[in-house]
Amino acid sequence: MKHKDYCSGSISDMNKKLQKQLVADDIRVRSIQAKIKYIISEKIETSSQIQIPINSGVKLHSLNYIVTVTLGGRNATVIVDTGSDLTWVQCQPCRLCYNQPEPLFNPSVSPTYRSVSCNSSTCQSLQSATGNSGLCENDLKECNYVVSYGDGSYTRGELGQDHLVLGSTSVENFVFGCGRNNRGLFGLASGLMGLGRSNLSLISQASGIFGGVFSYCLPSTGTKSTGSLILGGDNDTSIFKNSTSISYTKMVENPQLFSFYFLNLTGISIGGVAIQDSVFGKSGTMIDSGTVITRLPPTIYKSFKAVFLKQFSGYPLKPGFSILDTCFDLSAYEEVNIPTFKMQFEGGAEMEVDVTGVLYFVKTDASQICLALASLQYDDEIGIIGNYQQKNTRVIYDIKQSRVGFAKETCSF
């Protein structure tokens, strides 16, 4: 290797030559710096917050929340689930599909669809994402998947890749499940969006775009208001409409259940009265957009119920409804005073449950309204904070910094 001047022959004016080279070197450095700034600005731009509407799934016969995305050029309305990883939609031809108002996804008419092969690392990622390894028996070339949910629901099909559009942002070669056999409590939604922490979740696949940060504000189920799902943005909170400052608590790592979001629930208060129990802080509590009603360990629930009944006294009692055992007849009342309900977390973070998340309307005429909490069977079971208690709250998941934030926000998009 020789210097390029070796080939340039004799140099009459060395100073002029050196000056010219230094100027060229400066131009190169400026070019590199400009390129770096462009790449960084591009990263900031693609990491800027993408906001898409999120709605109650009641109109699709679901108590979960839904968003509409574009997959392979077709719209798909899917359930938002932080407790799942694999995103999937119902596909045709379908062996066993439930009814949905939108057309089934048809991979054969999408020019950007590709199947995932059995011998790929993506297929091998299914074990950590779904608990079931990819199915490749009988010399199958395509990677087949099975996902079973805790309520008995399931989806089965093959893994595929296609062009996903979220708002104005594209995710190329997005891996998802093409469901050929689907049954369960999905209402009329076209599928499910997995926002867990494994490699196959949406937030992991798009980490280069959104930086491992997302948040949502869930609207009340009984209103026509629309909340928002915001992907990306790092610490840029300018797009939020929160009325209180954001308070953060760290995520609790659980190696056996690493894809779920666990927090350390350190206390609960109702009407300003703190619930005292030794169970607090002993194990992580899961926060989940796909669970509806918050579940508490029995001893905590019993204490909470006792304090609530003392503060919410004088109203006629009604029989329990399903998992809800504390119900009232409020049809004769135009106005009732509902105690404030707050959850405290490690690090001083606090989530005040919106007033619409304290009572559950079983009957629209208010003749049967129940306390919107339920008890787990045993104290060593994991508590879950459901979406009913997360309404009108900005919940921020910052995987990069391993923390979750809360702030009050009236959800409107």
Side-chain angles (χ1 to χ4, degrees):
M1 182 179 284
K2 292 182 170 61
H3 194 275
K4 65 178 182 178
D5 286 347
Y6 177 83
C7 302
S8 61
S10 60
I11 300 172
S12 58
D13 191 339
M14 181 60 71
N15 286 339
K16 190 175 181 180
K17 178 69 175 179
L18 289 174
Q19 187 180 24
K20 196 173 181 180
Q21 288 183 351
L22 290 175
V23 169
D25 195 58
D26 187 54
I27 292 172
R28 172 185 169 82
V29 169
R30 288 175 183 271
S31 175
I32 290 173
Q33 294 300 328
K35 187 175 182 180
I36 291 171
K37 287 180 180 179
Y38 175 76
I39 292 171
I40 292 173
S41 67
E42 280 290 293
K43 184 177 181 182
I44 291 172
E45 184 178 340
T46 54
S47 294
S48 63
Q49 293 160 321
I50 301 301
Q51 184 173 203
I52 58 178
I54 187 168
N55 290 93
S56 165
V58 169
K59 64 180 180 181
L60 294 182
H61 305 172
S62 172
L63 291 177
N64 288 310
Y65 287 84
I66 55 174
V67 295
T68 299
V69 300
T70 303
L71 184 64
R74 291 291 191 94
N75 283 352
T77 300
V78 292
I79 293 169
V80 175
D81 189 4
T82 60
S84 299
D85 292 281
L86 183 67
T87 296
W88 60 268
V89 294
Q90 296 200 111
C91 283
Q92 66 171 348
C94 193
R95 290 186 290 274
L96 183 64
C97 280
Y98 56 84
N99 292 329
Q100 65 176 58
E102 296 172 333
L104 295 177
F105 179 81
N106 188 349
S108 65
V109 300
S110 172
T112 48
Y113 179 85
R114 291 186 296 117
S115 60
V116 174
S117 64
C118 265
N119 59 1
S120 65
S121 59
T122 301
C123 187
Q124 295 169 7
S125 298
L126 276 172
Q127 179 66 45
S128 61
T130 67
N132 300 305
S133 58
L135 304 177
C136 297
E137 66 270 10
N138 301 325
D139 297 324
L140 288 173
K141 293 183 179 179
E142 295 177 341
C143 179
N144 279 239
Y145 76 90
V146 176
V147 181
S148 300
Y149 300 93
D151 59 11
S153 304
Y154 64 85
T155 175
R156 300 168 187 162
E158 68 267 6
L159 283 190
Q161 289 180 302
D162 211 330
H163 185 72
L164 175 70
V165 179
L166 302 158
S168 59
T169 299
S170 298
V171 182
E172 303 294 338
N173 301 318
F174 178 70
V175 178
F176 67 101
C178 197
R180 310 285 188 177
N181 190 328
N182 319 290
R183 274 289 178 268
L185 303 177
F186 306 116
L188 302 176
S190 296
L192 181 144
M193 176 190 286
L195 288 174
R197 300 175 68 183
S198 85
N199 291 340
L200 287 185
S201 75
L202 168 61
I203 202 65
S204 294
Q205 288 193 58
S207 62
I209 302 172
F210 302 122
V213 180
F214 70 96
S215 72
Y216 53 68
C217 187
L218 305 178
S220 299
T221 53
T223 67
K224 294 182 179 180
S225 62
T226 296
S228 63
L229 171 65
I230 297 177
L231 297 159
D234 293 332
N235 295 319
D236 180 12
T237 60
S238 60
I239 201 168
F240 300 161
K241 300 176 182 177
N242 50 301
S243 57
T244 63
S245 59
I246 301 169
S247 59
Y248 286 96
T249 184
K250 69 177 184 180
M251 295 179 189
V252 176
E253 300 301 324
N254 188 321
Q256 285 79 31
L257 301 166
F258 72 94
S259 68
F260 295 113
Y261 298 98
F262 287 99
L263 311 174
N264 188 4
L265 180 66
T266 57
I268 288 177
S269 65
I270 182 75
V273 177
I275 307 299
Q276 303 294 331
D277 199 282
S278 59
V279 176
F280 283 121
K282 284 193 172 180
S283 61
T285 298
M286 181 178 165
I287 181 166
D288 181 25
S289 68
T291 296
V292 180
I293 298 296
T294 293
R295 307 301 206 281
L296 296 175
T299 55
I300 295 178
Y301 177 75
K302 287 175 184 176
S303 300
F304 184 97
K305 177 180 172 180
V307 175
F308 179 82
L309 285 173
K310 189 174 181 181
Q311 297 184 1
F312 201 70
S313 61
Y315 300 108
L317 294 173
K318 290 283 283 189
F321 177 77
S322 184
I323 60 172
L324 309 177
D325 63 6
T326 307
C327 303
F328 309 88
D329 181 355
L330 303 179
S331 58
Y333 299 86
E334 292 185 6
E335 191 176 289
V336 295
N337 293 319
I338 301 175
T340 56
F341 173 19
K342 297 180 180 181
M343 298 184 189
Q344 290 84 34
F345 301 92
E346 182 179 352
E350 183 175 80
M351 183 182 82
E352 181 176 340
V353 176
D354 188 72
V355 67
T356 62
V358 180
L359 297 176
Y360 184 90
F361 278 69
V362 176
K363 296 182 179 178
T364 55
D365 64 358
S367 61
Q368 190 177 19
I369 295 180
C370 304
L371 176 63
L373 291 171
S375 175
L376 293 167
Q377 194 169 1
Y378 304 106
D379 273 328
D380 60 356
E381 291 181 306
I382 293 173
I384 303 175
I385 301 171
N387 65 44
Y388 202 80
Q389 281 65 47
Q390 298 178 51
K391 292 182 292 184
N392 290 315
T393 299
R394 175 61 59 182
V395 184
I396 303 155
Y397 296 78
D398 187 344
I399 299 171
K400 189 162 57 176
Q401 298 192 52
S402 191
R403 61 180 187 171
V404 172
F406 303 98
K408 287 188 70 66
E409 181 175 329
T410 302
C411 300
S412 59
F413 175 66

